[in-house]
Amino acid sequence: MNDQSFDTGKAEPLGKFEHPEITAKGETRASVPLIGATTLWFNTGTLCNIECLNCYIESSPQNDALVYISTAEVEDYLDQIKQQNWPTTEIGFTGGEPFMNPDMIAMAQACLTRGYQVLILTNAMLPMMRKSIKAGLLKLQAEFGDKLTLRVSLDHFKAELHDQMRGRGSYDVTLKGMEWLRDNGFKMAIAGRTLWGDNDTESRAGYKALFQKHGFDIDAHNPAMTVLFPEMDEAVDVPEITTACWDILGKTHHDVMCSSSRMVVKRKGADRPAVLACTLLAYSPEFELGETLKQAEGDVKLNHPHCAKFCVLGGASCSG
């Protein structure tokens, strides 16, 4: 619908994703209320042991734009979950590579001790395979069992395609990490990508064959266990999501992950962490909602190409 009541403050026409309330066509932009915060994410820091092509958060061995979050900071937000009476059941950790953060094991233990399911996103490479980290993981596994899930980034079931993104030999190193997790009874999931044009059936068949070959107890046909992410290229032209789109697409607010999750980050030079609307938009200031969970309870305007391509049209979610 057209709505001319908004003052854009610009004499020239709007471009796409420029105004929080209206689209370039003058239609009311869709927004998403926080219906039930079942997942709280923590970004452990943007430092990573490798540098991947098209990394959505630009993680690398040099990027410390998001610095290491601490156990004490995580525990403060766990307290806030209780204060705000959020229905949170899952705590997710992403990076960067989470196992580069020296507090990773302690942060996971703090969450598991309070009864949360914990999901750690990892490339299962050398940071995870350090002696101290393996010892810490084994202790968590013994105490908490399948309340802990390691979601391993395996971009494709073929080595040559995975290595295109992550560097020569990275596929074999990741499989070694997965074999260690398998041998020690850890609950695993996989995050893949759809960059190469395989359809969903082909991708899942390829992962299923890989899992069977290596004895990985991962269901290739369960979208929560084998997550296939659409690509996030901000240069690709995508439609803006209006209030009318929900009915047109047969979707609701519940289908978008910002209706059920938030992410905590700590920016370099900041005194305190901040809460973001989305795990994918760490560098977009309009998606920073405040320092506390209470401040982060407001509606989220779908004012970014990723909102359309990844979440609404792609149907993807970072949660388990």
Side-chain angles (χ1 to χ4, degrees), residues 152-221:
V152 179
S153 296
L154 196 68
D155 289 335
H156 200 274
F157 50 86
K158 294 180 180 178
E160 62 270 22
L161 298 182
H162 174 91
D163 286 359
Q164 280 181 11
M165 297 294 104
R166 295 177 180 259
R168 180 182 295 181
S170 60
Y171 181 89
D172 291 337
V173 176
T174 291
L175 283 190
K176 287 180 181 177
M178 291 178 66
E179 288 166 352
W180 181 83
L181 292 170
R182 174 202 66 197
D183 293 344
N184 287 282
F186 286 91
K187 185 178 179 181
M188 276 192 289
I190 285 290
R193 295 168 71 169
T194 60
L195 173 65
W196 296 274
D198 299 332
N199 64 39
D200 189 79
T201 300
E202 293 167 339
S203 291
R204 295 190 183 281
Y207 279 108
K208 180 178 180 179
L210 175 71
F211 299 159
Q212 289 178 338
K213 177 181 177 180
H214 292 273
F216 297 143
D217 185 17
I218 305 171
D219 185 349
H221 296 288

Side-chain angles (χ1 to χ4, degrees), residues 97-130:
E97 168 51 49
F99 288 111
M100 291 184 68
N101 185 315
D103 277 9
M104 187 60 254
I105 296 297
M107 292 187 295
Q109 183 168 6
C111 299
L112 289 162
T113 299
R114 297 198 191 199
Y116 295 106
Q117 298 280 338
V118 169
L119 176 65
I120 304 176
L121 278 53
T122 179
N123 56 38
M125 297 178 76
L126 297 181
M128 191 193 80
M129 294 298 285
R130 287 176 291 158

Side-chain angles (χ1 to χ4, degrees), residues 128-314:
M128 191 193 80
M129 294 298 285
R130 287 176 291 158
K131 184 177 180 180
S132 60
I133 297 297
K134 290 197 293 184
L137 283 172
L138 289 171
K139 182 178 178 182
L140 294 179
Q141 166 68 4
E143 186 171 355
F144 300 103
D146 63 4
K147 290 184 73 68
L148 171 66
T149 300
L150 286 294
R151 183 193 288 168
V152 179
S153 296
L154 196 68
D155 289 335
H156 200 274
F157 50 86
K158 294 180 180 178
E160 62 270 22
L161 298 182
H162 174 91
D163 286 359
Q164 280 181 11
M165 297 294 104
R166 295 177 180 259
R168 180 182 295 181
S170 60
Y171 181 89
D172 291 337
V173 176
T174 291
L175 283 190
K176 287 180 181 177
M178 291 178 66
E179 288 166 352
W180 181 83
L181 292 170
R182 174 202 66 197
D183 293 344
N184 287 282
F186 286 91
K187 185 178 179 181
M188 276 192 289
I190 285 290
R193 295 168 71 169
T194 60
L195 173 65
W196 296 274
D198 299 332
N199 64 39
D200 189 79
T201 300
E202 293 167 339
S203 291
R204 295 190 183 281
Y207 279 108
K208 180 178 180 179
L210 175 71
F211 299 159
Q212 289 178 338
K213 177 181 177 180
H214 292 273
F216 297 143
D217 185 17
I218 305 171
D219 185 349
H221 296 288
N222 182 343
M225 301 307 294
T226 301
V227 189
L228 302 178
F229 287 120
E231 291 307 300
M232 294 174 286
D233 184 351
E234 292 187 35
V236 173
D237 186 41
V238 294
E240 296 182 278
I241 305 300
T242 70
T243 53
C245 287
W246 300 123
D247 289 337
I248 293 170
L249 297 170
K251 293 178 178 284
T252 72
H253 308 102
H254 294 265
D255 298 316
V256 187
M257 65 180 178
C258 55
S259 72
S260 61
S261 68
R262 292 290 186 261
M263 183 171 78
V264 178
V265 305
K266 189 169 186 183
R267 302 194 188 283
K268 188 174 183 178
D271 292 330
R272 290 176 51 83
V275 188
L276 310 185
C278 179
T279 60
L280 308 176
L281 299 170
Y283 304 127
S284 299
E286 65 270 30
F287 290 90
E288 185 167 318
L289 304 176
E291 293 181 346
T292 68
L293 298 188
K294 183 177 182 179
Q295 292 170 324
E297 291 179 344
D299 293 0
V300 177
K301 305 292 184 180
L302 299 184
N303 190 25
H304 194 280
H306 291 349
C307 301
K309 189 173 190 297
F310 186 87
C311 294
V312 177
L313 300 176

